[in-house]
Amino acid sequence: MDAGIIKENILNRTIVKHARKNSEGIIEGAGPGIDAAVMKNGTVISVGTASKEEDIPGTSVSCLAFLRAANNLYTVCDEVDAVTMGLMVGTGVTEDEIRREMISLENELGKTGACLIQGDSRVQRGMAENEIIITVNAIGHCFHQTDTERLPEPPGNREKPGERIVMAGYPGFFEAVTLAEKNKEELLKRFPSELIGRLRADSFSIAFVCRSARQKGAKKLHDISNGGLYRALYNLSQYARYGVDIIHESIPVLQEIIELAEYYSLDPYAMNGTGGVLITIASQNEEALLDELRSMGIPSADIGCFTEGNSKVIRSVNMEMSRNINPA
């Protein structure tokens, strides 16, 4: 298989299909569009993995794994209570490198109030000598055990045709920022320094956006990450068991991302969009949500709605054309 994320069709038929989903203690488990598992006692669990090979500037492997796990968790609940960690390293990794990863993770956990409660670690022969792979499981809760009115509904019972899909954030922003930081000298020969300078971010956490969206009546939140906007929309449609009708011109875009994507022959709507969120919401609550997000300086827009059937369509009003959404 090609390096990178596992393709959607392979993921569904080889992994998701064989994951046992029926259990009295589980409300939501493995499946398209489900970022975190929800138990009937209110416990929420999510997972994120990162490796040194990814070479993401400005962050450690442990913090990247935690970001992915935490963002998945935030789509369901407000806070990370605790994490567990799995660490696998090559034979060339030093004790100091492992210590730096742990200090970095502890500093990040300190910002959220979460703590590391369990772990597993090993030195593995056969993998690259200097490789570090870290998996973080984030644990939270979405209600108290006695608060039965807040039990999430099963997949397919929340979204209805006509209900709106709001996007918060820019498609491909995370990958664009990563490319700009890794290849700054090369890009400065081609682009103005102002353009490269605008591709930066203090945080890619979606905690605040998700919390605000829930307060405004959001029904479902879905993290935009690996595979980008197209894959996130596809998975959201699969989760709802309805089609989607997306207006291309309504998607929030940043010209700097478009230019960088063209330079590297990438599709900005398939680039890693960590930090972005898809939000489903009833029409009557949409304006209040958009007002709230925009007041916080978060780029956001109504990009379309759910439709009867299973068609996943993105169309351009200006160019009078449409295409099916087919993620990699």
Side-chain angles (χ1 to χ4, degrees):
M1 290 188 288
D2 295 333
I5 60 172
I6 295 178
K7 292 184 177 180
E8 187 71 21
N9 58 345
I10 298 176
L11 177 69
N12 287 329
R13 70 175 181 244
T14 309
I15 298 177
V16 175
K17 178 181 178 180
H18 299 286
R20 182 169 176 262
K21 304 171 184 66
N22 298 324
S23 171
E24 291 184 0
I26 300 173
I27 296 174
E28 287 187 344
I34 299 175
D35 296 303
V38 182
M39 315 296 286
K40 282 190 177 178
N41 65 3
T43 301
V44 183
I45 305 171
S46 63
V47 62
T49 299
S51 68
K52 184 179 179 181
E53 183 186 24
E54 293 180 79
D55 189 25
I56 305 296
T59 187
S60 64
V61 179
S62 59
C63 284
L64 184 58
F66 173 68
L67 171 68
R68 289 169 173 165
N71 276 359
N72 284 334
L73 194 87
Y74 293 140
T75 63
V76 178
C77 64
D78 291 346
E79 297 178 354
V80 179
D81 296 330
V83 302
T84 66
M85 184 189 76
L87 170 70
M88 187 178 293
V89 301
T91 56
V93 175
T94 66
E95 183 179 347
D96 281 344
E97 287 181 276
I98 296 174
R99 182 182 295 109
R100 285 196 295 270
E101 289 290 345
M102 287 305 306
I103 292 173
S104 179
L105 178 61
E106 278 299 324
N107 289 339
E108 194 66 23
L109 293 177
K111 299 175 186 177
T112 67
C115 62
L116 177 65
I117 60 171
Q118 186 59 266
D120 180 62
S121 58
R122 65 181 298 156
V123 179
Q124 181 66 47
R125 295 186 183 277
M127 61 189 291
E129 287 188 355
N130 296 318
E131 179 64 289
I132 300 174
I133 299 175
I134 294 178
T135 297
V136 170
N137 294 290
I139 305 165
H141 64 278
C142 58
F143 52 85
H144 295 291
Q145 192 164 358
T146 56
D147 192 5
T148 55
E149 292 183 358
R150 293 184 62 190
L151 283 167
E153 297 179 43
N157 288 355
R158 296 182 182 180
E159 289 67 44
K160 298 292 185 291
E163 290 185 335
R164 311 307 302 178
I165 301 172
V166 169
M167 179 176 177
Y170 293 118
F173 187 58
F174 180 87
E175 188 165 343
V177 170
T178 299
L179 287 170
E181 292 181 356
K182 289 173 69 173
N183 306 311
K184 188 173 183 179
E185 291 186 9
E186 172 195 343
L187 292 172
L188 285 174
K189 298 175 182 177
R190 171 67 175 79
F191 298 104
S193 58
E194 293 81 7
L195 184 147
I196 303 304
R198 286 192 289 270
L199 290 172
R200 62 179 63 183
D202 295 326
S203 172
F204 290 100
S205 171
I206 61 174
F208 195 64
V209 172
C210 292
R211 188 178 302 120
S212 298
R214 274 189 288 271
Q215 291 172 352
K216 295 300 179 181
K219 290 189 167 187
K220 165 74 176 171
L221 298 102
H222 185 37
D223 176 32
I224 303 172
S225 54
N226 291 323
L229 177 60
Y230 285 162
R231 187 163 185 163
L233 286 167
Y234 185 93
N235 286 336
L236 188 64
S237 174
Q238 292 288 90
Y239 172 88
R241 299 176 184 171
Y242 286 111
V244 292
D245 180 29
I246 306 300
I247 307 302
H248 181 269
E249 288 83 0
S250 298
I251 298 172
V253 294
L254 192 64
Q255 186 58 33
E256 288 84 350
I257 299 176
I258 302 299
E259 294 192 29
L260 207 64
E262 289 180 353
Y263 180 74
Y264 285 109
S265 299
L266 299 171
D267 183 344
Y269 305 103
M271 290 167 62
N272 189 313
T274 296
V277 188
L278 291 178
I279 305 164
T280 72
I281 193 164
S283 300
Q284 63 268 26
N285 298 327
E286 181 189 35
E287 280 305 315
L289 170 63
L290 289 171
D291 288 344
E292 174 76 6
L293 295 176
R294 290 165 181 166
S295 70
M296 297 185 293
I298 297 168
S300 53
D302 176 334
I303 64 171
C305 66
F306 290 100
T307 59
E308 293 280 4
N310 195 39
S311 297
K312 303 166 182 61
V313 176
I314 182 166
R315 57 191 175 92
S316 170
V317 175
N318 295 339
M319 300 180 67
E320 298 183 349
M321 60 184 296
S322 65
R323 53 159 290 188
N324 292 327
I325 298 172
N326 293 309

